[in-house]
């Protein structure tokens, strides 16, 4: 049936439609549900009466029994902890907890006195038992505390005993050795023999007392930790024997005045070993208190067991009554279950009849067919069959869906063609196989169909290379899943309507229409872009040739600049070497004086040596030869230092220790400093690790030589001649200051002191290269050389280097 035929039918209201029929069926099912609810209410009312009786009479009794059992269990669990308490704080905490438990138990006993006869006397007996147990534990703890105090006294007494016994042993040994010396010397007097015998007897007694005293201390300390009275008895026997030996040994020293303090210490030691209040007796009383506590603990378990028996009787009585109530409840539940089952079966039968005879056959099956048609239309199948017929709401929905389908077909086709025709770019659409469905005029001008050909495939309207790329793309797109559909963009050649080829940029991207995959093709005329690219390539080729010519000239210029830089570096090195040699020339006179002194001394020692050898005084001659060797080593050090300073420096930088370099530079000016009476102040760090800088040793020494030489020249005519060199470390740098007391640098030339060949000295006194060379050397080190200050009080040069 067409949409026009359906639209022409009258759309009057449905008198007895789906709504009225379903309402009647639901009313019938609801009436049966009300009947079932009434039956269930009657059954639950009977069950509720039984449960109320159980809640009012039996549950409180069960709750009381459970609480009594809980409190009794807590007491029987806490009582052993009370019996084994080790401190007063622990005892107090456990006693408080047991007091709270006992109070709760007494409250429960008062509450259940009527239901559980004999409960209160049993709880009172349990309270008396816990009170006795608490007293016993407190007595045991007091005994343990006294025992601990005795052990502390024993520890201090043992220390005093050792301090007393050792000097006595030492004195006895000394007296014995003295008597033995007299006897060995041949002085066999009766007095020496008497002293030897007396001291031997005393020494033996002191040693015995020391051994027995240490044994007694060990036995007393062991008695404080024994766990049984049998072990205490055995230990007491050993301790008694040891005490007897101590008393016998003390009797030997009764007439010795030095043994009085020892006797007192042994007496105090025996007080801790014997009699009432001794450590063994205190431990025996402590074990007896512990045994008494265990007896009370056993009595506590018996009382709690009797309490549990009363609770079990109460629970058994409640259980018997509860079983009778449960039987009545089960009967009520069975009767209610039967009634509910019968009503449920009737309701189910009515519901099945309604669902099968009307809902399934008249509604669900028609809705299923109508839903399938709607699903096909939504998936893009606008020619799906729509089930019609009947005179209810579903038939009206089918007619409306038919009108919607026909309208959607017309609108979709009109919109798609309008969009493609009016686009300002070449557009076409294809199906999944690459067959063209729509083409707008701009696209038709770029990919015209071949003459006499009716094939609508996109690949047939492109050049062979582009056709292969397009065919491969559609083959991959058909194999790929929908969510991973590929896209394509290529530059190829199309065909104008007159048959001439035209460069075309072809872009293909997927889209979905009617839930089916389609492809939109974008076509762009690339004629102007290709021509512009060809022009650009020609221009780039011309510019590349010009750049190659310019690059060749630059390479030649760079090579010439590098040669000039190497020549400049060689010249600078020559100037540095010349400056060092000039400095050596200035120092030559002083070095000659330094060498003349040891040479004169060597000559004198050699002359004296010959005289001494001629006189046969060879030992004195050897002394002169040693002095000659020392002076020769001194001269060798001076010449070696001069050779090292004069050699060409290394270009590599490393960690250089500052102090040896500074001392080496100062050593070159030793004679000049003395002759010109110049005060030298050196402030170099001496504590901690050596101060190291990043430099090269020979060049750093040359910088210091130049600065010291300038400082000596500056103070030559000054009233106070003073030169100072100091160094300090600051974070990652080292600051070296060379200061003089000269007249300072004039302000007019202060900015030129580091220029090459600039000098304020008279003609012939200098080349003006020292500071310039030093400035460049320090800069090569990564440091800085500057004038820190200058004035009438002198000049200070600051050398800053990186700390290594």
């Amino acid at each position: 049936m067409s949409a026009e035929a359906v639209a022409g039918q009258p759309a009057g209201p449905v008198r007895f439609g789906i709504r009225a029929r379903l309402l009647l069926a639901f009313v019938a099912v609801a009436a049966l549900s009300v009947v079932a609810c009434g039956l269930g209410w009657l059954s639950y009312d009977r069950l509720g009466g039984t449960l109320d009786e159980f809640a009012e009479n039996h549950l409180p009794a069960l709750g009381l029994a459970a609480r009594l059992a809980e409190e009794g269990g807590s007491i029987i669990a806490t009582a052993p902890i009370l019996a084994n308490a080790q401190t007063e704080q622990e005892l107090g905490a456990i006693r408080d907890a047991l007091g709270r438990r006992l109070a709760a138990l007494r409250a429960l006993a008062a509450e259940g006195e009527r239901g559980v006869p004999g409960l209160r006397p049993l709880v009172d007996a349990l309270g008396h038992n816990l009170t006795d147990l608490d007293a016993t534990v407190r007595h045991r703890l007091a005994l343990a505390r006294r025992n601990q105090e005795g052990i502390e006294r024993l520890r201090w007494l043992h220390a005093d005993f050792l301090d007393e016994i050792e000097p006595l042993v030492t004195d006895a040994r000394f007296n014995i050795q003295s008597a033995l010396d007299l006897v060995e010397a041949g002085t066999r007097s009766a007095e020496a023999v008497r002293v030897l015998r007396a001291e031997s007897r005393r020494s033996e007694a002191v040693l015995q007392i020391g051994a027995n005293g240490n044994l007694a201390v060990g036995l007393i300390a062991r008695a404080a930790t024994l766990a049984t009275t049998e072990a205490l008895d055995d230990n007491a026997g050993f301790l008694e024997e040891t005490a007897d030996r101590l008393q016998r040994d003390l009797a030997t020293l009764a007439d010795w005045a030095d043994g009085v303090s020892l006797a007192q210490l042994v007496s105090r030691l025996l007080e801790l070993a014997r009699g009432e209040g001794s450590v063994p007796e205190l431990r025996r009383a402590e074990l007896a208190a512990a045994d008494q506590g265990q007896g009370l603990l056993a009595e506590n378990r018996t009382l709690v067991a009797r309490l549990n028996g009363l609770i079990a009787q109460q629970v058994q009585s409640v259980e018997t009554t509860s079983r009778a109530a449960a039987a009545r409840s089960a009967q009520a539940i069975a009767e209610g279950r039967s009634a509910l089952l019968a009503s449920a079966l009737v309701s189910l039968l009515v519901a099945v009849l309604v669902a099968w005879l009307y809902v399934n056959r008249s509604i669900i099956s028609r809705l299923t067919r109508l839903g399938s048609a709607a699903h096909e239309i939504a998936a893009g199948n606008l020619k799906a069959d729509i089930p019609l017929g009947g005179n209810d709401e579903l038939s009206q929905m089918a007619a409306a869906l038919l009108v919607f389908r026909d309208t959607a077909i017309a609108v979709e086709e009109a919109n798609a063609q309008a969009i493609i025709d009016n686009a300002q770019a070449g557009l076409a659409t294809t199906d999944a196989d690459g067959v063209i469905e729509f083409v707008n005029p701009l696209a038709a001008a770029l990919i015209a169909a071949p003459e006499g050909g009716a094939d609508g495939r996109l690949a047939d309207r492109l050049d062979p290379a582009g056709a292969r790329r397009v065919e491969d793309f559609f083959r991959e797109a058909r194999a790929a899943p929908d969510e991973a559909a590929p896209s394509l963009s290529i530059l190829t050649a199309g065909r104008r309507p007159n048959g001439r080829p035209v460069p075309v940029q072809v872009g293909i991207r997927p889209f979905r229409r009617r839930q089916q995959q389609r492809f939109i093709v974008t076509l762009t005329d690339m004629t102007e872009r290709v021509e512009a690219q060809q022009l650009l390539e020609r221009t780039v080729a011309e510019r590349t040739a010009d750049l190659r010519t310019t690059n060749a000239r630059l390479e030649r210029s760079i090579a010439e600049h590098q040669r000039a830089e190497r020549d400049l570096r060689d010249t600078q090195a020559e100037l540095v070497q010349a400056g060092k040699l000039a400095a050596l020339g200035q120092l030559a006179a002083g070095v000659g004086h330094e060498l003349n002194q040891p040479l004169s001394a060597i000559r004198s020692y050699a002359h004296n040596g010959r005289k001494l050898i001629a006189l046969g005084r060879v030992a004195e001659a050897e002394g002169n030869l040693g002095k000659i060797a020392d002076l020769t080593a001194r001269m060798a050090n001076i010449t070696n230092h001069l050779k090292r300073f004069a050699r060409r420096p290394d270009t590599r930088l490393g960690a250089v220790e500052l102090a040896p370099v500074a001392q080496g530079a100062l050593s070159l000016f030793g004679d000049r400093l003395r002759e010109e009476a110049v005060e030298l102040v050196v402030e170099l760090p001496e504590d901690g690790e050596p101060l190291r800088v990043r430099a090269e040793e020979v060049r750093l020494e040359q910088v210091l030589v130049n600065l010291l030489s300038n400082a000596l020249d500056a103070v030559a005519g000054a009233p106070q001649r003073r030169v100072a060199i100091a160094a300090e470390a600051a974070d990652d740098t080292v600051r070296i200051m060379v200061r003089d007391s000269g007249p300072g640098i004039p302000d007019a030339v202060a900015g030129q002191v580091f220029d090459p060949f600039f000098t304020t000295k008279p003609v012939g006194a200098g080349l003006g290269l020292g500071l310039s060379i030093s400035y460049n050397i320090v800069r090569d080190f990564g440091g800085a050389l500057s004038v820190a200050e200058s004035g009438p009080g002198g000049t200070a040069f600051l050398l800053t280097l990186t700390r290594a």
Side-chain angles (χ1 to χ4, degrees):
M1 182 179 293
S2 65
E4 291 78 2
V6 174
Q9 294 180 356
V14 178
R15 294 184 179 180
F16 196 69
I18 297 174
R19 181 184 304 172
R21 299 170 191 170
L22 288 177
L23 180 60
L24 182 59
F26 288 143
V27 167
V29 174
L32 293 174
S33 300
V34 171
V35 172
C37 289
L39 294 174
W41 180 82
L42 292 175
S43 300
Y44 285 122
D45 182 60
R46 291 179 59 191
L47 180 60
T50 305
L51 292 177
D52 291 340
E53 177 186 356
F54 184 80
E56 292 175 359
N57 299 327
H58 308 313
L59 283 182
L62 288 176
L64 176 62
R67 285 182 288 166
L68 285 171
E70 179 183 359
E71 297 299 337
S74 299
I75 290 175
I76 199 172
T78 312
I81 302 176
L82 175 67
N84 296 317
Q86 300 300 321
T87 62
E88 292 289 346
Q89 293 80 3
E90 183 181 357
L91 177 62
I94 299 171
R95 183 171 57 245
D96 293 341
L98 278 174
R100 291 191 296 272
R101 295 292 184 184
L102 190 59
L105 191 59
R106 282 174 176 157
L108 292 174
E111 181 181 348
E113 185 175 5
R114 297 179 181 178
V116 186
L119 182 60
R120 179 182 288 275
L122 188 57
V123 172
D124 292 338
L126 190 59
H128 293 316
N129 173 266
L130 291 176
T131 302
D132 295 341
L133 182 60
D134 175 64
T136 302
V137 173
R138 280 191 278 119
H139 178 60
R140 178 177 61 78
L141 290 178
L143 291 173
R145 185 168 59 252
R146 291 178 58 193
N147 200 347
Q148 186 64 32
E149 292 172 356
I151 292 299
E152 289 294 327
R153 288 173 52 202
L154 177 65
R155 186 180 295 112
W156 290 108
L157 187 60
H158 186 216
D160 294 340
F161 176 77
L162 294 177
D163 293 340
E164 186 67 28
I165 200 75
E166 290 178 0
L168 294 178
V169 173
T170 302
D171 292 343
R173 288 176 178 172
F174 177 77
N175 293 333
I176 292 172
Q177 187 63 42
S178 299
L180 288 174
D181 292 342
L182 290 174
V183 173
E184 291 176 357
T187 309
R188 297 181 177 273
S189 62
E191 180 65 21
V193 173
R194 187 188 63 79
V195 169
L196 181 60
R197 289 175 179 174
E199 292 300 331
S200 297
R201 186 174 63 257
R202 289 173 184 171
S203 176
E204 182 180 358
V206 169
L207 292 174
Q208 288 292 337
I209 290 172
N212 290 323
N214 288 328
L215 178 58
V217 169
L219 291 173
I220 293 171
R222 182 172 178 268
T225 59
L226 291 175
T228 63
T229 55
E230 291 78 5
L232 273 174
D233 293 337
D234 295 339
N235 190 78
F238 292 126
L239 186 58
E240 187 66 28
E241 293 177 3
T242 305
D244 293 341
R245 289 196 296 271
L246 280 172
Q247 288 180 340
R248 287 197 302 270
D249 294 333
L250 283 175
T252 305
L253 303 178
D255 58 345
W256 190 27
D258 294 340
V260 175
S261 298
L262 180 62
Q264 293 176 353
L265 290 173
V266 172
S267 299
R268 291 166 58 190
L269 181 63
L270 294 177
E271 290 175 0
L272 293 176
R274 294 172 169 177
E276 185 178 357
S278 64
V279 171
E281 291 302 320
L282 289 174
R283 181 59 181 171
R284 193 181 303 277
E286 184 181 353
L287 292 176
D291 292 339
Q292 183 180 359
Q294 292 299 321
L296 291 172
L297 190 61
E299 181 184 352
N300 178 272
R301 295 193 188 97
T302 303
L303 292 173
V304 173
R306 291 173 55 192
L307 176 64
N308 290 334
L310 291 177
I311 294 171
Q313 293 176 5
Q314 178 68 14
V315 170
Q316 185 176 5
S317 176
V318 173
E319 183 179 359
T320 302
T321 308
S322 300
R323 284 178 180 173
R328 294 194 300 271
S329 299
Q331 183 180 359
I333 291 172
E335 294 174 356
R337 185 183 296 116
S338 300
L340 288 176
L341 180 59
S343 62
L345 290 176
V346 174
S347 300
L348 180 61
L349 180 59
V350 173
V352 168
L353 291 175
V354 171
W356 177 256
L357 296 178
Y358 176 67
V359 174
N360 181 58
R361 297 176 62 180
S362 300
I363 298 177
I364 300 299
S365 60
R366 292 172 62 195
L367 279 175
T368 302
R369 295 195 301 273
L370 191 60
S372 299
H375 181 72
E376 291 183 10
I377 292 173
N381 184 13
L382 297 181
K383 296 182 179 182
D385 184 30
I386 299 176
L388 299 172
N391 186 23
D392 53 16
E393 291 87 345
L394 291 180
S395 61
Q396 294 178 354
M397 290 175 60
L401 184 61
L402 180 62
V403 174
F404 172 78
R405 185 197 67 179
D406 295 341
T407 305
I409 293 174
V411 171
E412 183 186 57
E413 293 177 353
N415 287 342
Q417 191 63 44
I419 291 172
I420 293 175
D421 290 343
N422 296 317
Q424 297 299 316
L427 295 177
T429 61
T430 71
D431 59 9
D433 296 324
V435 177
I436 297 176
E437 296 179 345
F438 298 103
V439 178
N440 70 348
L442 291 178
L446 297 176
I447 52 170
E451 295 181 2
D455 192 358
R457 298 175 62 83
L458 176 62
D460 296 336
R461 303 191 180 191
L462 303 175
D463 66 347
R468 285 193 299 272
R469 295 282 302 278
V470 170
E471 289 290 346
D472 293 340
F473 167 75
F474 281 112
R475 190 179 303 110
E476 294 176 3
R478 286 193 298 270
D482 292 344
E483 61 274 9
S487 60
L488 177 69
S489 179
I490 60 172
L491 179 63
T492 182
R495 184 184 300 106
R496 294 195 182 278
N498 57 9
R500 293 176 55 189
V502 56
V504 179
Q505 181 74 33
V506 179
I508 307 176
R509 297 186 64 83
F511 74 99
R512 301 195 70 80
R513 187 178 68 187
R514 302 179 191 171
Q515 301 301 319
Q516 296 180 359
Q517 191 177 59
R518 294 289 188 271
F519 292 89
I520 185 168
V521 182
T522 306
L523 303 164
T524 305
D525 189 351
M526 302 297 291
T527 303
E528 295 181 359
R529 187 176 300 180
V530 170
E531 293 175 354
Q533 183 176 359
Q534 293 173 353
L535 177 61
L536 178 61
E537 290 175 353
R538 289 195 300 272
T539 304
V540 168
E542 295 173 358
R543 294 291 185 270
T544 302
D546 295 339
L547 286 175
R548 287 197 185 95
T549 303
T550 305
N551 190 30
R553 289 198 302 269
L554 285 175
E555 289 178 352
R556 289 193 297 272
S557 299
I558 290 172
E560 294 175 359
H561 177 73
Q562 290 175 346
R563 283 196 302 274
E565 186 178 358
R566 286 195 298 270
D567 294 342
L568 180 61
R569 190 179 295 110
D570 295 340
T571 302
Q572 182 181 4
E574 293 296 334
L575 287 175
V576 170
Q577 190 67 16
K580 288 199 301 182
L581 295 177
L584 285 175
Q586 294 176 0
L587 297 172
V591 172
H593 182 73
E594 287 288 335
L595 295 177
N596 283 333
Q597 285 183 344
L599 285 173
S600 299
I602 289 172
R603 187 165 50 251
S604 175
Y605 284 132
H607 176 73
N608 292 337
R610 285 197 303 271
K611 295 288 187 181
L612 292 172
I613 291 172
L615 295 174
R617 297 160 61 183
V618 179
E620 297 180 17
E622 288 179 354
N624 286 351
L625 291 176
K627 293 177 181 179
I628 290 173
D630 294 339
L631 292 172
T632 305
R634 175 183 170 189
M635 294 172 62
N637 288 335
I638 294 173
T639 55
N640 288 336
H641 185 71
L642 288 175
K643 288 192 295 181
R644 183 176 61 83
F645 181 72
R647 76 171 187 264
R648 289 186 177 273
D650 194 354
T651 58
R652 294 172 295 181
L653 302 181
V656 177
E657 190 173 344
L658 180 61
V661 175
Q663 295 297 337
L666 290 171
S667 66
L668 298 176
F669 297 97
D671 186 65
R672 184 176 177 183
L673 290 169
R674 288 191 296 271
E675 288 184 354
E676 297 180 5
V678 178
E679 179 187 359
L680 177 64
V681 178
V682 180
E683 297 178 357
L684 298 176
E686 297 180 355
D687 299 333
E689 295 183 358
L691 194 60
R692 293 182 175 85
V693 297
R694 185 176 181 272
E696 193 275 325
E697 185 176 359
V698 175
R699 285 189 285 169
L700 178 59
E701 183 176 351
Q702 181 182 353
V703 172
L704 295 178
V705 167
N706 290 340
L707 295 178
L708 290 171
S709 177
N710 288 344
L712 290 173
D713 292 341
V715 301
Q720 181 183 3
R721 300 178 181 180
R722 186 171 183 270
V723 173
I725 178 171
E728 63 177 358
D731 297 332
D732 56 349
T733 59
V734 176
R735 294 161 52 91
I736 305 170
M737 187 78 74
V738 178
R739 187 185 299 273
D740 62 63
S741 60
I745 302 173
D747 295 338
V749 298
Q752 306 176 31
V753 293
F754 296 111
D755 293 343
F757 303 106
F758 175 80
T759 180
T760 58
K761 298 177 184 178
V763 177
L767 298 175
L769 291 174
L771 287 177
S772 176
I773 292 173
S774 300
Y775 181 85
N776 289 311
I777 290 174
V778 174
R779 186 180 61 183
D780 292 341
F781 292 166
L785 178 62
S786 61
V787 179
E789 57 182 71
S790 182
T795 302
F797 282 89
L798 175 62
L799 174 60
T800 304
L801 297 173
T802 302
R803 188 171 183 178

